[in-house]
Amino acid sequence: MPTLASHLTRPLLLAALFAAAAAHAQDAQVASAAASTAASREAPSRHLAPGFTTRAADSRLLVLPADMELFSISAGGVVEPRNDWTEAAQKNFAAGLASQRARLGTQVTELNALQADEFAEVTALHRAVADAIQLHHRGGWMELPTKNRALDWSLGDAVRPLKERTGADYALFTWVRDSYASSERKLAMVALAALGAISLGGEQTGYASLVDLNTGRIVWFNQLSRMSGDLREPAPAVETVEALLKGFPALK
């Protein structure tokens, strides 16, 4: 027959076991959180090249004209270039970059379109490499195992003419493609939606990259892909610039 002592001891033992289990679970959570924090600190940013974090305070930045084109989508879904929109977008985008001087720095050199034409081979090479980054650096089965998830891409000595011509330490390249549904396309989308069909309107895609002109390495890269944004108007264009430059390396 259970004694009075056993009736008193059993709840105490159960309480002790529950307390020990809770303490163990809490310790495990703390250890897991610490390990996760340590791993996040050790994991390199997918936007930065290995070993690169900031630009030197006295470094000089070269800004090249954006490679940009805007399109209209017809009722039938045909994409047609709009030179008037592209011209307006170039001006709005340039003004948006000018508004980011606190982020870009004070020692900034800009090339106009005519000057940039002299370096068409460099910009074409950069476009090819940036396209490869967009394809292989976003994660998934297209990742290159040899890169080990690192932003490890370079233009090599091809950037030397830019360095010699401008004396800059870094160059900022930008590329944007933007499309907008025409009025007829919007009506067609509404009609198709009523029938249960899904049709897409415009899309804004682009990238921005920072190239070290001393080594040719792409040290920072950011990409944009969304169904919003409008480069045809000044205020929305500033928002697009800010989105592209998110995480741009600071001066220190």
Side-chain angles (χ1 to χ4, degrees), residues 3 11 79 90 104 119 135 141 143 150 168-169 195 203:
T3 64
V79 178
Q90 285 280 11
L104 299 178
F119 305 98
L135 181 63
W141 67 277
E143 273 197 346
D169 299 293
L195 297 174
E203 181 182 12

Side-chain angles (χ1 to χ4, degrees), residues 29-62:
Q29 289 178 347
V30 171
S32 176
S36 177
T37 301
S40 64
R41 288 175 179 172
E42 293 175 1
S45 169
R46 293 180 64 81
H47 297 279
L48 296 172
F52 180 82
T53 54
T54 58
R55 295 174 290 150
D58 60 348
S59 62
R60 291 162 292 181
L61 176 66
L62 171 66

Side-chain angles (χ1 to χ4, degrees), residues 77-91:
V78 178
V79 178
E80 302 170 342
R82 288 288 301 265
N83 293 334
D84 54 336
W85 288 355
T86 299
E87 184 177 348
Q90 285 280 11
K91 294 178 181 178

Side-chain angles (χ1 to χ4, degrees), residues 44 46 50 129 132-133 136-137 142-154:
R46 293 180 64 81
V129 174
I133 295 175
H136 299 295
H137 193 62
M142 292 296 289
E143 273 197 346
L144 300 178
T146 55
K147 297 294 183 182
N148 196 28
R149 299 177 64 85
L151 182 63
D152 183 19
W153 305 80
S154 176

Side-chain angles (χ1 to χ4, degrees), residues 88-110:
Q90 285 280 11
K91 294 178 181 178
N92 294 333
F93 192 85
L97 282 174
S99 71
Q100 301 297 308
R101 286 304 169 87
R103 178 179 295 181
L104 299 178
T106 57
Q107 299 193 63
V108 177
T109 300
E110 297 180 357

